[in-house]
């Protein structure tokens, strides 16, 4: 594939507000754009994030610790825009970033290139209560859902839906940080449902109780796509989870690209119904009683495993959005059947938990390109090894801290340290930035110059 910046250079900014130092989707986006010659910037939670070690990242801009309000996020984006010095393509890598970015789009005009869509649409789609209503409008299967208005309603849902049932918070990005409430949990009694309902104030959004769809081999599927104007899906595809973490309920640890016309058709209908623009990631589960595929989640951003849907020319949804927003044609080539994506750290945990190996051995591709039926690893790449080593160090450090905490008895230490906003010079030492706001996020520039 030719360099993306064939015309005047347009940088890209990857934004993620969810403080997860091991988010491999961000690294995948850095590598995808950086390998094509784009100047890639990223908003990260710490200078120690493995993403900052990538040779394909030009500059990492440090976010402030703590919860980011929409106003603070706006000011942060303006400061980063000033540092970049010219308009950039902005790609949100998590739900809350996508929601805030869409709401701020009119105020970011001239600084960032964004898909044109109603400002409140990503928030509506990411809200799990709104999604249930949308599925009913479009006729897409969705698990039977109760939104309790009282403790008695929560208890009654156990009789209506059966046990166990799934409990979700409609806006999980509003949950307080730290241990406690989880975005999704399995409820085994009416009393558990009542206790969760009584914590609605702390959760910040409504509680949903859903019928549990039992897990089975081959039951979990997903769709990734990039949508431009006139409801056009410029690039998309379906895949199947072979392993997940936590097992049977969590993110994709190992995924295969597989055609599924029913899942793809449902995704295209829903995107057309709401007029969606940009990248989306949808999760489905097969109902063993009917054989139909139920939509569980709508994520208005790339999924962490989006590189599974790379075609033979190297095009993925992140590159497609960049090309489209910068006025370049998006020309997909043939899909890569049998392609596998492996998130090494989570795959290892899932295998240890399951005690099996439910997918055929695969050979990694060093840089994510290549032949039929191969695999791309989330962290390991022969042309960019440092993030893999940094991930291993963070992973081992977290394990040691948790082990020490269990021996001491009190709650374990925070899973990842936050650092104050600073500028880090290419040699890794702190350096001041004359005239920069003290509260603003500072950039981290790679010693290699970015590529």
């Amino acid at each position: 594939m030719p360099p993306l910046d064939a015309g005047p250079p347009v940088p890209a900014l990857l934004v993620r507000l969810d403080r997860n130092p091991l988010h491999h989707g961000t690294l995948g986006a850095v590598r995808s754009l950086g390998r094509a010659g784009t100047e890639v910037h990223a908003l990260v939670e710490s200078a120690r994030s493995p993403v900052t070690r990538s040779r394909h990242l030009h500059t990492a801009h440090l976010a402030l610790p703590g919860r980011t309000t929409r106003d603070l996020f706006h000011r942060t984006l303006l400061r980063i825009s000033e540092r970049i010095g010219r308009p950039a393509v902005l790609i949100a890598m998590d739900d809350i970033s996508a929601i805030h970015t869409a709401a701020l789009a009119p105020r970011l005009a001239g600084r960032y290139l964004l898909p044109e869509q109603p400002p409140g649409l990503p928030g509506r789609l990411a809200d799990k209560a709104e999604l249930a209503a949308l599925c009913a409008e479009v006729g897409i299967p969705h698990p039977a859902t109760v939104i309790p208005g009282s403790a008695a309603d929560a208890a009654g849902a156990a009789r209506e839906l059966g046990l166990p049932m799934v409990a979700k918070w409609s806006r999980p990005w509003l949950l307080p940080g730290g241990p406690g409430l989880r975005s999704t949990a399995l409820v085994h009694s009416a009393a558990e449902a009542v206790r969760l309902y009584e914590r609605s104030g702390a959760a910040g959004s409504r509680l949903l109780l859903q019928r549990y769809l039992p897990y089975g081999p081959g039951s979990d599927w997903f769709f990734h796509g990039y949508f431009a104007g006139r409801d056009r899906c410029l690039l998309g595809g379906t895949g199947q989870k072979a392993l997940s973490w936590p097992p049977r309920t969590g993110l994709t640890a190992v995924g295969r690209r597989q055609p599924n016309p029913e899942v793809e058709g449902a995704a295209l209908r829903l995107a057309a119904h709401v007029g969606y623009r940009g990248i989306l990631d949808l999760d489905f589960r097969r109902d063993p009683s009917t054989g139909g595929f139920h939509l569980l989640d709508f994520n208005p951003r790339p999924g962490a495993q989006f590189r599974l849907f790379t075609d033979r020319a190297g095009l993925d949804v992140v590159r497609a959005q960049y090309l489209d927003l910068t006025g370049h044609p998006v020309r997909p080539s043939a899909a890569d059947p049998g392609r596998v994506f492996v998130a090494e750290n989570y795959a290892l945990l899932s295998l240890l938990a399951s005690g099996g190996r439910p997918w055929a051995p695969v050979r990694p591709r060093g840089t994510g390109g290549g032949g039929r039926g191969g695999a791309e690893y989330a962290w390991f790449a022969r042309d960019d090894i440092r993030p893999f080593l940094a991930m291993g160090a963070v992973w081992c450090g977290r394990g040691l801290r948790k082990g020490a905490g269990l021996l001491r008895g009190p709650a374990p230490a925070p899973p990842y340290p936050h650092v104050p906003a600073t500028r880090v010079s290419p040699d890794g030492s702190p350096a001041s930035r004359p005239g920069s706001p003290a509260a603003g996020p500072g950039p981290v520039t790679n010693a290699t110059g970015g590529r």
Side-chain angles (χ1 to χ4, degrees):
M1 178 176 179
L4 299 184
D5 287 334
V10 179
L13 173 65
L14 306 175
V15 176
R16 182 172 51 80
L17 295 178
D18 175 27
R19 296 181 181 276
N20 174 13
L22 298 179
H23 187 266
H24 50 271
T26 304
L27 177 62
V30 167
R31 286 171 169 169
S32 176
L33 294 173
R35 285 172 180 148
T38 301
E39 179 184 305
V40 185
H41 297 250
L43 180 65
V44 299
E45 65 280 286
S46 170
R48 301 179 185 179
S49 168
V51 172
T52 67
R53 305 303 195 264
S54 175
R55 65 187 293 267
H56 300 291
L57 181 67
H58 184 277
T59 306
H61 303 268
L62 303 184
L64 294 173
R67 186 179 293 274
T68 301
T69 64
R70 184 166 295 172
D71 183 61
L72 176 58
F73 183 55
H74 181 227
R75 296 199 305 270
T76 299
L77 291 181
L78 294 183
R79 290 190 185 104
I80 294 175
S81 175
E82 292 170 0
R83 288 170 179 147
I84 295 175
R86 58 198 190 280
V89 172
L90 193 156
I91 300 176
M93 299 301 299
D94 64 348
D95 290 347
I96 186 59
S97 298
I99 292 166
H100 284 341
T101 299
L104 293 169
R107 301 162 65 185
L108 298 174
R111 292 178 179 267
Y112 293 103
L113 304 178
L114 297 164
E116 294 183 4
Q117 62 182 335
L121 184 58
R124 182 187 178 199
L125 296 170
D127 187 311
K128 300 181 188 305
E130 296 281 352
L131 181 62
L134 276 173
C135 286
E137 289 179 17
V138 184
I140 293 174
H142 184 274
T145 300
V146 172
I147 304 176
S150 66
D153 290 343
R159 296 187 296 272
E160 180 179 344
L161 302 174
L163 292 172
M165 56 184 174
V166 177
K168 298 179 179 180
W169 298 105
S170 64
R171 299 181 178 184
W173 58 89
L174 298 180
L175 290 172
L181 293 171
R182 299 177 59 187
S183 61
T184 304
L186 206 58
V187 173
H188 297 276
S189 70
E192 284 184 59
V194 170
R195 285 195 294 270
L196 278 175
Y197 175 79
E198 291 172 344
R199 302 192 66 184
S200 297
S205 65
R206 293 179 289 178
L207 176 68
L208 280 74
L209 299 170
Q210 291 183 345
R211 183 171 75 88
Y212 173 65
L213 299 179
Y215 171 85
S219 62
D220 288 344
W221 291 75
F222 43 84
F223 175 89
H224 282 56
Y226 172 70
F227 289 79
R230 300 188 300 279
D231 303 324
R232 293 178 301 141
C233 181
L234 299 187
L235 185 73
T238 56
Q240 184 184 56
K241 289 185 184 181
L243 283 176
S244 59
W245 182 256
R248 304 182 178 185
T249 61
L251 57 79
T252 301
V254 177
R256 287 195 190 96
R257 181 164 189 166
Q258 298 284 353
N260 188 319
E262 184 177 343
V263 166
E264 182 170 354
L268 295 177
R269 290 201 315 275
L270 182 57
H273 179 74
V274 300
Y276 187 79
R277 305 289 183 270
I279 300 171
L280 55 75
D281 164 32
L282 308 184
D283 291 318
F284 292 80
R285 174 166 285 189
R286 182 179 180 271
D287 183 349
S289 64
T290 66
F293 291 90
H294 288 237
L295 178 60
L296 303 182
D297 286 306
F298 190 121
N299 303 303
R301 41 77 179 171
Q305 74 276 27
F306 77 92
R307 286 286 296 169
L308 177 64
F309 300 99
T310 306
D311 69 14
R312 292 180 179 175
L315 185 68
D316 55 43
V317 292
V318 168
R319 286 191 184 184
Q321 175 163 320
Y322 181 94
L323 288 167
D324 185 47
L325 294 180
T326 55
H328 293 78
V330 178
R331 299 190 179 96
S333 68
D336 197 353
R339 183 175 172 83
V340 176
F341 180 88
V342 181
E344 304 94 310
N345 47 345
Y346 298 117
L348 175 61
L349 288 175
S350 185
L351 283 171
L352 292 174
S354 65
R357 189 177 179 85
W359 87 93
V362 292
R363 184 174 60 188
R365 296 182 183 136
T367 61
R372 175 178 299 213
E376 176 160 333
Y377 280 55
W379 294 99
F380 178 81
R382 292 188 181 93
D383 72 329
D384 193 29
I385 194 68
R386 291 189 299 168
F388 173 76
L389 300 177
M391 178 276 292
V394 172
W395 192 256
C396 292
R398 293 176 70 171
L400 290 173
R401 282 193 294 273
K402 288 181 179 180
L406 291 174
L407 291 175
R408 288 195 302 268
Y416 197 78
H418 293 301
V419 298
T422 58
R423 177 178 176 83
V424 181
S425 61
D427 64 2
S429 60
S432 63
R433 180 180 177 87
S436 61
V444 181
T445 305
N446 284 336
T448 59
R451 293 188 179 85

